[in-house]
Amino acid sequence: TMMINPAAVTCLLLLSALASGSAANIRGAAIDDHSELRHLNSLCNCISTIDSSCHPNSECENSNSRCTKPNGQHNCNASGNYIWQEAQSTPLPTPAPTSPPTAATPSPTPFPTGPQTCPEQYCPTSSPSRKLEATLPRRRDVAECDLTMITLATYTAPGTSDVLIELKGPADSADALDLVIAAAHGGGLKPTYIDSRSGSGIVTSKDSYTLEVSVLLAQSLIDTYCAGVPYLIINHLHRSKLDANRELEEATIGIVNGKATAEEAWNKFHTYINDAQVFVRERFGTTSTGSGVTGVNGLFFDMHGYIGNNGKSDVSATTGWKDDVNIHGAPFTQWGYRLSDDPSLTSCPIDNLGGTIGSFTHARSLPNQSYECLVRGPNSMGSRVNALLSNSDLCGQGTPSFEYPSPNALATDTTYCNDAANGGECHYYSGGFDVKIHERMDVDLSVLPQPTLSGEHFNALQAELPRCIRFGGDAIRSDFAGVLAQATMGFLRDLNGPMP
């Protein structure tokens, strides 16, 4: 693997040009494609020819700009030559599992200067599937797409017309996509017939705009590919009335009046998720692995949002994650696989943890898959999203990922975390109740306080979206949903194969 001196990296290159003819620029800078082999990035006006050779490039050589987008795929070397790393033939090292290296702490510069990070050592750096994400086979012509998402089931509060919980999906199960999306904390209904939740340490604020992003993601998958319709489960109740991402006692804590309605809403939310998973199993089937794990060929995507600090619109954060450059709140998208930031995500490779710790039990036991690479390799969800974002700041960049493999390293780095200056650590959301119980198909919700889990596996992950995405406005939310759609479809097709 070629070692890069970051001090010599003098141009900003656009990795997402590999994935598609366009990229989502959530900060609005113009990007033009000139051809399949030449790409102009207007942020630094650096043109590079993409093939297997190195080419002198005076614009790179003379530019004072440094690469600010971590991508791990290509850059300029000390002579100003463009390096197309995917063409390198030097094999990656295979460290001995008996003495795993310590995961390197990411630097604010885009390329590591010290030891390789864990995914660099264990996961291939080439990612051919990224090139296909914008041109995946479509079942129908998108311009004539007749697929629509409809309401399949609802729970309405007794004696009212208020829809509290909703299941949406395809009119015909044959048109289903192998994806289930849940929006537990984006609802806004505050009916007076349900008391507000109350108790020590509970959270009652909603994850603003996560419902809207979930709907946009589902629609973008339909509009972009016309290959299928995902299932979407929505909790329309405000989090002050129901927290659907908690066990039942905390979900309805402090409620007296309307408690039965709130409890039934909780039951319906999780029942509808399981119903959708059953629909996916009927459409896409299961796969049994050599290790004895049987799982559904599908993905459960739990959508959330976070602030991450004490910042306000007119006051910079002094605790928690440092603010995004344009809006208060942490900039990173946090991907959760029910792995702690320490020690789980400081282990190298993650596969050495053994057992069934974390989610993706089924995916990581499939042939030619590893937990390390599924969670933070070049083709992980985090890295696919990172590659498709074209803004030069951190807004939306994900951890764990190939670029930011260790949430703990970020959370203890004064570059990103205010608390680190005093030896503290910023919070990482590793995945909650929804991901835990819907990783398995047979869920008995009647067993309290924790439902019992058994049966086939269903791959599940959580996304915590930052405020810079959620509060960035309609255009930014729409663009980011388009990025999620491309990343999710590419991930699904790599994992489960072509659509049947």
Side-chain angles (χ1 to χ4, degrees), residues 69-70 331-333 386 389 391 393-399 403-404:
K69 182 168 180 59
F332 292 102
T333 297
N386 292 351
L389 292 173
N391 48 294
D393 54 48
L394 290 175
C395 181
Q397 292 286 314
T399 184
E403 297 78 16
Y404 298 101

Side-chain angles (χ1 to χ4, degrees), residues 62 101 345:
N62 298 330
L345 287 170

Side-chain angles (χ1 to χ4, degrees), residues 149 181 213-223 228-230 232:
M149 174 175 282
I181 307 166
V213 173
S214 298
V215 172
L216 287 168
L217 167 59
Q219 193 59 50
S220 183
L221 284 162
I222 298 170
D223 294 342
V229 178
L232 173 62

Side-chain angles (χ1 to χ4, degrees), residues 254-342:
I255 297 176
V256 178
N257 297 315
K259 189 174 183 67
T261 300
E263 289 182 341
E264 183 60 16
W266 181 89
N267 272 282
K268 290 296 186 185
F269 180 79
H270 293 289
T271 298
Y272 287 169
I273 292 175
N274 190 244
D275 289 345
Q277 291 176 310
V278 170
F279 295 151
V280 170
R281 179 175 61 189
E282 292 173 349
R283 170 82 171 93
F284 294 91
T286 62
T287 301
S288 296
T289 69
S291 59
V293 176
T294 299
V296 177
N297 300 318
L299 179 68
F300 173 59
F301 192 129
D302 199 28
M303 189 80 74
H304 293 275
Y306 77 114
I307 298 175
N309 61 35
N310 68 340
K312 304 294 181 183
S313 58
D314 56 346
V315 180
S316 297
T318 56
T319 64
W321 294 95
K322 291 193 174 180
D323 282 328
D324 176 70
V325 294
N326 289 321
I327 191 170
H328 83 272
F332 292 102
T333 297
Q334 296 187 0
W335 295 94
Y337 303 86
R338 290 194 59 79
L339 293 169
S340 64
D341 61 339
D342 185 29

Side-chain angles (χ1 to χ4, degrees), residues 122-124 349-351 360 363-377 495:
Y122 286 93
C123 306
I350 304 172
D351 304 75
F360 275 32
R364 67 193 195 232
S365 60
L366 292 170
N368 303 315
Q369 297 290 353
S370 77
Y371 207 10
E372 177 68 40
C373 301
L374 284 165
V375 168
R376 53 189 181 188
L495 187 64

